[in-house]
Amino acid sequence: MALSATGGAAAVAEEDSGANLAETLKVGSYFALWYLFNIGYNIYNKQALNALAFPWTIATIQMATGILYFAPLWALGLRKAPKLSGADLKTLLPIALCHTGVHVGAVIALGAGAVSFAHIVKASEPVVTCAANAALLGEVLPMKVYATLLPIIGGVAIASMKELSFTFLALAAAMLSNVSSSLRGVLSKKTMSGKKIGENLDAQNLYAVLTAMSTLLLIPMMLAIEGTGFIPAFKAAVEAGSFTNKSLSTLLLLGGATYYLYNEVAFLALGKVNPVTHAVGNTIKRVVIIVASVVAFKTPMSTGSIIGSSIAIFGTLLYSLAMNSVKK
């Protein structure tokens, strides 16, 4: 009996070890895909913007491409489609507006300056988040959290002063993206916390619904700001010999596909890990994107810009860890 019990325990331990290894590999693959799609998006997006200076139109195409992903999943029953009332959509509208601002601000920033600079400025989002939470939710955080904002502010300031490809448009657009992202978080807390909205509205379906709503919001904005100038610009780029119709269309679709997929995989990855791993993973992701973009586009970075960006990114890690300790 003792031998049998020992053998059974060993079998259970081996089974648990195998399950843990499988889970670790799954989480690792999620993170790898998250980084890969994110790098791909930033490169495809910048290439498209270099070819066609129509950020609003490109942002709209990218947002709309996501519909080609989730609509078939809903139609074929591979994912339960959300059921929303008019009141539910009204509740989600302000969040969708902010979601639109996050994306279009980032696209404009990436078109107006270097990818690396846009991500350095995006690292300052915690500063905006703290201000928005204090102003709109009355949330006052411990001093140790606010202290972590100092290296973020200082690092972004140093990087901006020393950035070789600095433009005010890139800075303003990246900050628009930051403000929109922070307001999206605040509005989500105020309108959705503890409140059931519709049916089957899990995190992935919520992102899909916001994508569809943002697409509808972007179309009239795009037409009002850029009109239909994108079409002759597309033809001119093809006639110049830099692209074929197929290669330029593929580039635009790849930008949209990788944009949606990196967000989709992010939900899967971050749902499997604790907040500390999330914070470290998000910090590493930003570093990887900056390095990849510098290599891909041969973007020169001054010593001051490298130092400033390093300080700012390290500050975002400290902020995430400090916030995690407050929530415990």
Side-chain angles (χ1 to χ4, degrees), residues 208-240:
V209 170
L210 291 177
T211 295
M213 293 178 74
S214 290
T215 300
L216 294 176
L217 290 168
L218 273 170
I219 290 171
M221 293 182 192
M222 169 198 77
L223 292 172
I225 295 168
E226 294 178 348
T228 56
F230 177 84
I231 297 171
F234 185 101
K235 291 178 180 176
V238 171
E239 288 170 3

Side-chain angles (χ1 to χ4, degrees), residues 39-60:
I39 292 167
Y41 166 67
N42 280 275
I43 291 173
Y44 293 138
N45 188 29
K46 183 63 176 175
Q47 288 175 336
L49 289 163
N50 285 344
L52 300 161
F54 288 82
W56 284 86
T57 304
I58 289 174
T60 305

Side-chain angles (χ1 to χ4, degrees), residues 34-311:
W34 180 27
Y35 287 13
L36 185 65
F37 286 139
N38 215 316
I39 292 167
Y41 166 67
N42 280 275
I43 291 173
Y44 293 138
N45 188 29
K46 183 63 176 175
Q47 288 175 336
L49 289 163
N50 285 344
L52 300 161
F54 288 82
W56 284 86
T57 304
I58 289 174
T60 305
I61 292 170
Q62 289 171 351
M63 192 68 78
T65 302
I67 298 172
L68 301 177
Y69 173 77
F70 61 78
L73 294 180
W74 289 347
L76 296 171
L78 298 175
R79 179 185 293 177
K80 287 185 177 179
K83 296 177 182 178
L84 301 168
S85 66
D88 293 330
L89 293 173
K90 188 176 178 181
T91 298
L92 292 174
L93 181 59
I95 301 171
L97 278 167
C98 292
H99 185 63
T100 303
V102 172
H103 183 53
V104 79
V107 173
I108 292 171
L110 290 168
V115 174
S116 54
F117 178 64
H119 280 279
I120 292 166
V121 178
K122 287 281 288 173
S124 66
E125 186 179 322
V127 180
V128 183
T129 299
C130 284
N133 284 345
L136 300 176
L137 298 178
E139 183 179 87
V140 179
L141 298 167
M143 189 53 65
K144 67 178 181 180
V145 175
Y146 293 127
T148 65
L149 300 181
L150 296 176
I152 298 175
I153 295 169
V156 171
I158 293 169
S160 297
M161 287 188 294
K162 300 298 182 180
E163 174 60 39
L164 299 175
S165 60
F166 175 86
T167 67
F168 281 107
L169 178 58
L171 176 63
M175 286 307 297
L176 167 65
S177 184
N178 283 346
V179 171
S180 298
S181 181
S182 298
L183 289 177
R184 181 178 60 185
V186 170
L187 289 171
S188 296
K189 281 184 187 177
K190 287 190 74 170
T191 61
M192 298 179 66
S193 183
K195 179 181 177 182
K196 180 171 169 42
I197 297 181
E199 295 179 34
N200 306 325
L201 198 67
D202 57 12
Q204 287 163 293
N205 271 348
L206 173 60
Y207 185 72
V209 170
L210 291 177
T211 295
M213 293 178 74
S214 290
T215 300
L216 294 176
L217 290 168
L218 273 170
I219 290 171
M221 293 182 192
M222 169 198 77
L223 292 172
I225 295 168
E226 294 178 348
T228 56
F230 177 84
I231 297 171
F234 185 101
K235 291 178 180 176
V238 171
E239 288 170 3
S242 304
F243 297 92
T244 62
N245 280 313
K246 183 180 178 180
S247 65
L248 191 50
S249 299
T250 301
L251 180 62
L252 291 167
L253 287 174
L254 282 172
T258 49
Y259 168 70
Y260 192 86
L261 288 172
Y262 93 70
N263 283 289
E264 177 88 1
V265 175
F267 279 120
L268 297 172
L270 304 181
K272 293 282 186 180
V273 298
N274 62 49
V276 175
T277 306
H278 171 194
V280 174
N282 213 22
T283 302
I284 294 172
K285 179 206 76 176
R286 202 170 292 285
V287 174
V288 168
I289 291 172
I290 290 173
V291 172
S293 67
V294 168
V295 172
F297 296 106
K298 298 180 174 60
T299 308
M301 288 183 73
S302 67
T303 302
S305 182
I306 294 170
I307 293 171
S309 60
S310 300
I311 293 171

